[in-house]
Amino acid sequence: MKKNFILLSFFLLLLAFAVTAQIPTGYYNSAIGKKQAELKTALHLIIKTANVPSYGSGTGSTWAAFAKMDIRPEDGTVWDMYSNNHVAFNGNSAASGMNIEHSFAKSWWGDGRQAAQDVQHLCPSNSTANSAKGSWPMAVVDGTISFSNGCIKVGKSSSKPGMTLDAWEPADEYKGDFARMYMYMVTCYEDYATIWTGNSVNQLDNNTYPVFEQWTVDLLLKWNKQDPVSQKEITRTNEAYKVQGNRNPYIDYPLLAEYIWGSLMAVPFTTDGNVDYPYLSSPGNGAILDFGKVVYQQNAVSTLNLKAQNLTGDLTLTITGTNAAEFSITKTTITKAEAEAGYAIPVNYSAQTVGAQTAQLTISGGGIGNTVVTLKATSSDEFLALPATNITAGGFTANWTVSAMATGYTLNVFSLVSSGTTQPKTALSESFASGVPATWTSSGYIGTTDLPGNLRLASSGNPGVVTTPAIDLSSEGNTLTVIAKQYNSDSGAKLTAKIDGTALAEWATSTANQTFTVTIPKATATSKITLSALAGSRVYLDSMIVQTQGAIQTPVSVSGFPVNLGDVLSYNVTGLHEDSTYFYTVTPIGNDVTASNRVELHTMLLDAIAGLKNNDLSWVVVPQGILIKQLQTNSRIILSDITGKRLQTIEPKDSDILIRLNKRGIYLLQVQQNEELKTIKVLY
């Protein structure tokens, strides 16, 4: 191996972190193939524009960003890299005793510029530590110490040859974090080069490259290696990207520092890594391919994307484990050429055994050693009506599973008609059979596999939080009902319910499922309910129901239904109204199985695709969801799931809009602009 390359183990660690970062496709394409100063400038052009939040407290502010970027997973407090204090967040306002700290001192360029509000380098800081740090350069404090709190030190430094500096030094666990922030700042704000001033002159020169004095280059490269990218940093730059639209490339690709200032300066940059030994960039060792819930005796196919570099030969794929017989691949040898070009491997799951199934897919050969991917699925023998398919403006295809001994099936298609009388109405009902629903949000640790059909909130080291979509709770008489129990030996683990951030109830769980009910005070038409558990106080969440007061709804069958069908598993329904909500159930004939679950669907708007004019509307799938660009004024967007169930109706105010999604699947987008309608099917 060439001496100018970093140790294999270090590189693989960095690569592993780069793979987990949510880097938009093609984001760094314009930097590929460049070196040193040219590479730094290319990165500058990619990241220089940022829609930075307002400085301070309030909605859309710095502290609102910190509330997403800087959360300690173990207790939900502010993650302060300047002290060991654990301070609670204060909504979108400053936390008690804390400041907003410019890790890269703003006095080095002067306030009133974008950099002063850039959250990629702004950090929450203990106010005392912030004051002690001042605007001194960052270096090793190896002389007299004037301040130390067990996290940062301030004092004298001999890091700059020939002189003694006043400097500050971060804790070992954050040295890499701050090194990558410093490299981000001189790259993003390369155009500030001529105005670096004040204490920065001991660290920076007034040029665009190399900009850092050599002693600083050496120090930052050292810290970048010694303290590799952490999940904290990945989360931070991902959230900052959501807030202001740019990323820290030195977190996404930590070897960038070597390409610009270090051992790889002679090598053109590539996002695939530039190494001379075999490695597998995808999948990562320990990756999981989860098929989710699959109906008994049905098949499901998922894809595993494989990419390798510098292989010495072909790759061999084998499946082992207790349930190996239920998983299969059609190709067990991937050639060197296929792997290096990138190869999509179809993996089949045949649900022949009821319950949770696991196996291990091992990738070996080609000089890479063994990479193991866990295959997971859950098979259910429950008789089910399946989601509708082929939804149009006037119909759909109803689908269902096999019911043993059934000689046929009865299909009922109906709508719900409201009367003037009110009664409790189910506004939300969730069994968590498929994990966290697509329209919900979650944070911390959420487990979905160790007790199928339940959500596990929290782990031993992290809290767990789930939040509903908006619910209309603007009337009186609403209730929340939750079924839950403690995790294993976490005796009396508490489940906390909040509405719009305000405490609603706290329940102590036991070893068996209990039903908890609480009255919900009158709230708003867009209220959200949050359920959470603390680290080490883990809870299994079985289901929840929110009931409100609403008009009585009576099922009214569509003309011609119910209809008795033969031994078939689908039926094409026609003659329905456009843009309308319908339901269907299926009842087996000839056995004692009762009616299936109720499936809801929404018919499409009248198909106007054939009359579309050529326009510049474009869309692209990004890590956060679906980005739609070049919308006309007065546009209307309807987002539905594959069943036709409407999830969102959006009337964009801008020409570009990001529709955020938090669950993989197939979505339907109906985009209406003036007299035109475009329907888009999107795989996310």
Side-chain angles (χ1 to χ4, degrees):
M1 188 181 300
K2 298 178 182 177
K3 292 182 179 179
N4 66 330
F5 288 93
I6 296 175
L7 295 173
L8 171 61
S9 59
F10 173 63
F11 176 79
L12 290 178
L13 180 61
L14 297 183
L15 182 63
F17 282 113
V19 170
T20 60
Q22 300 167 6
I23 307 171
T25 303
Y27 188 78
Y28 292 111
N29 280 0
S30 60
I32 295 173
K34 295 181 171 59
K35 306 176 187 176
Q36 300 178 51
E38 186 184 16
L39 173 58
K40 179 173 173 290
T41 297
L43 294 169
H44 163 71
L45 295 174
I46 294 170
I47 67 174
K48 69 175 184 175
T49 301
N51 185 23
V52 296
S54 60
Y55 187 87
S57 298
T59 303
S61 69
T62 313
W63 273 102
F66 288 166
K68 299 176 180 178
M69 298 167 58
D70 296 289
I71 305 172
R72 290 187 184 273
E74 66 268 24
D75 59 9
T77 59
V78 182
W79 202 323
D80 179 8
M81 294 192 292
Y82 295 90
S83 82
N84 293 317
N85 296 347
H86 289 228
V87 179
F89 277 98
N90 182 27
N92 291 334
S93 299
S96 178
M98 302 197 73
N99 296 151
I100 301 170
E101 170 59 353
H102 296 76
S103 65
F104 198 84
K106 68 180 179 181
S107 62
W108 296 359
W109 71 84
D111 204 351
R113 296 171 177 261
Q114 175 181 298
Q117 299 168 227
D118 189 331
V119 295
Q120 292 282 8
H121 88 113
L122 294 179
C123 302
S125 170
N126 169 264
S127 58
T128 303
N130 178 24
S131 178
K133 168 188 172 285
S135 59
W136 300 122
M138 185 170 65
V140 176
V141 176
D142 52 6
T144 304
I145 297 173
S146 59
F147 175 85
S148 177
N149 63 359
C151 189
I152 73 165
K153 293 188 290 186
V154 181
K156 300 298 182 180
S157 169
S158 61
S159 293
K160 182 171 181 174
M163 68 178 295
T164 299
L165 296 175
D166 288 304
W168 76 282
E169 179 183 353
D172 290 348
E173 64 183 299
Y174 302 130
K175 282 185 166 70
D177 303 54
F178 286 113
R180 289 178 281 274
M181 286 183 183
Y182 271 48
M183 292 184 286
Y184 164 87
M185 290 296 290
V186 301
T187 303
C188 185
Y189 302 104
E190 184 175 277
D191 51 331
Y192 290 17
T194 60
I195 61 172
W196 303 131
T197 186
N199 291 323
S200 70
V201 298
N202 290 317
Q203 198 144 43
L204 311 175
D205 291 327
N206 293 114
N207 57 48
T208 58
Y209 184 82
V211 61
F212 292 122
E213 295 192 353
Q214 189 58 49
W215 73 269
T216 299
V217 168
D218 296 341
L219 181 71
L220 298 183
L221 291 177
K222 178 182 178 181
W223 287 359
N224 186 50
K225 296 176 191 176
Q226 288 182 343
D227 176 29
V229 169
S230 64
Q231 184 59 51
K232 174 189 184 299
E233 290 177 87
I234 294 173
T235 299
R236 208 171 194 281
T237 199
N238 286 340
E239 292 298 330
Y241 178 66
K242 297 175 186 178
V243 170
Q244 62 182 39
N246 74 340
R247 306 185 60 82
N248 185 336
Y250 301 96
I251 294 174
D252 289 338
Y253 295 101
L255 277 181
L256 267 173
E258 298 290 333
Y259 284 98
I260 296 173
W261 294 285
S263 61
L264 301 179
M265 288 193 294
V267 181
F269 171 66
T270 170
T271 55
D272 289 332
N274 201 312
V275 295
D276 61 352
Y277 48 80
Y279 77 91
L280 194 66
S281 58
S282 178
N285 192 32
I288 298 173
L289 188 64
D290 194 344
F291 290 78
K293 191 174 183 180
V294 180
V295 177
Y296 176 56
Q297 294 188 339
Q298 300 293 310
N299 292 337
V301 179
S302 192
T303 300
L304 184 70
N305 293 312
L306 186 149
K307 185 74 166 64
Q309 186 171 324
N310 300 322
L311 296 179
T312 59
D314 299 341
L315 298 177
T316 300
L317 280 62
T318 56
I319 296 177
T320 58
T322 305
N323 308 115
E326 301 191 31
F327 299 89
S328 62
I329 48 178
T330 57
K331 189 176 175 101
T332 58
T333 299
I334 308 298
T335 68
K336 177 179 184 309
E338 289 171 334
E340 292 181 350
Y343 194 87
I345 304 168
V347 184
N348 183 74
Y349 170 63
S350 179
Q352 301 302 313
T353 305
V354 175
Q357 315 295 318
T358 61
Q360 289 73 48
L361 172 64
T362 301
I363 306 168
S364 59
I368 64 168
N370 289 349
T371 295
V372 180
V373 177
T374 297
L375 309 177
K376 300 172 62 176
T378 301
S379 173
S380 170
D381 62 351
E382 180 184 3
F383 175 66
L384 296 171
L386 300 175
T389 56
N390 304 320
I391 299 170
T392 66
F396 65 92
T397 299
N399 307 282
W400 54 92
T401 62
V402 173
S403 180
M405 307 300 292
T407 59
Y409 300 88
T410 299
L411 171 67
N412 189 25
V413 180
F414 56 94
S415 58
L416 296 177
V417 178
S418 299
S419 69
T421 306
T422 62
Q423 67 172 10
K425 171 188 174 184
T426 300
L428 182 147
S429 179
E430 182 53 55
S431 67
F432 307 109
S434 300
V436 180
T439 55
W440 292 45
T441 59
S442 64
S443 62
Y445 181 88
I446 307 296
T448 59
T449 58
D450 49 347
L451 187 61
N454 290 251
L455 288 184
R456 185 180 125 192
L457 303 184
S459 66
S460 59
N462 296 291
V465 183
V466 290
T467 303
T468 69
I471 309 171
D472 185 356
L473 299 174
S474 57
S475 63
E476 303 282 355
N478 308 314
T479 60
L480 166 67
T481 301
V482 177
I483 299 176
K485 67 178 181 178
Q486 71 184 46
Y487 170 86
N488 295 345
S489 61
D490 289 358
S491 180
K494 293 181 179 179
L495 176 66
T496 300
K498 294 183 178 180
I499 180 168
D500 299 330
T502 301
L504 184 62
E506 184 177 80
W507 300 296
T509 60
S510 65
T511 55
N513 272 333
Q514 293 177 277
T515 301
F516 304 101
T517 300
V518 63
T519 299
I520 304 172
K522 184 178 180 180
T524 72
T526 57
S527 289
K528 296 182 179 182
I529 295 173
T530 296
L531 299 175
S532 63
L534 297 176
S537 185
R538 297 160 286 188
V539 171
Y540 282 126
L541 183 60
D542 177 86
S543 59
M544 68 172 288
I545 296 175
V546 177
Q547 288 192 308
T548 59
Q549 295 297 315
I552 295 176
Q553 292 187 311
T554 304
V556 178
S557 295
V558 172
S559 178
F561 292 90
V563 60
N564 291 340
L565 306 172
D567 192 13
V568 297
L569 300 179
S570 65
Y571 184 79
N572 293 326
V573 179
T574 60
L576 303 180
H577 298 292
E578 66 163 326
D579 195 23
S580 299
T581 299
Y582 291 92
F583 306 86
Y584 69 88
T585 59
V586 185
T587 305
I589 302 172
N591 61 22
D592 59 357
V593 178
T594 58
S596 71
N597 54 301
R598 188 172 74 179
V599 174
E600 179 180 349
L601 64 110
H602 199 92
T603 55
M604 307 291 279
L605 292 172
L606 189 64
D607 192 355
I609 298 176
L612 280 175
K613 304 173 184 177
N614 290 328
N615 57 47
D616 295 326
L617 176 71
S618 64
W619 61 273
V620 64
V621 176
V622 297
Q624 296 80 21
I626 306 167
L627 177 63
I628 303 177
K629 302 175 71 70
Q630 300 174 322
L631 289 163
Q632 301 173 16
T633 56
N634 300 319
S635 298
R636 183 170 179 255
I637 301 171
I638 298 172
L639 174 71
S640 307
D641 64 16
I642 192 60
T643 70
K645 181 180 181 180
R646 189 171 299 187
L647 304 176
Q648 294 185 55
T649 300
I650 308 163
E651 296 182 354
K653 299 185 184 304
D654 302 314
S655 60
D656 298 351
I657 182 173
L658 173 63
I659 301 175
R660 297 186 181 276
L661 303 173
N662 60 9
K663 188 173 183 179
R664 292 180 296 178
I666 299 174
Y667 294 86
L668 301 174
L669 282 172
Q670 291 179 280
V671 184
Q672 192 168 17
Q673 302 189 109
N674 299 325
E675 302 299 320
E676 302 171 7
L677 178 74
K678 186 171 185 176
T679 302
I680 304 167
K681 183 182 287 185
V682 180
L683 174 62
Y684 175 71

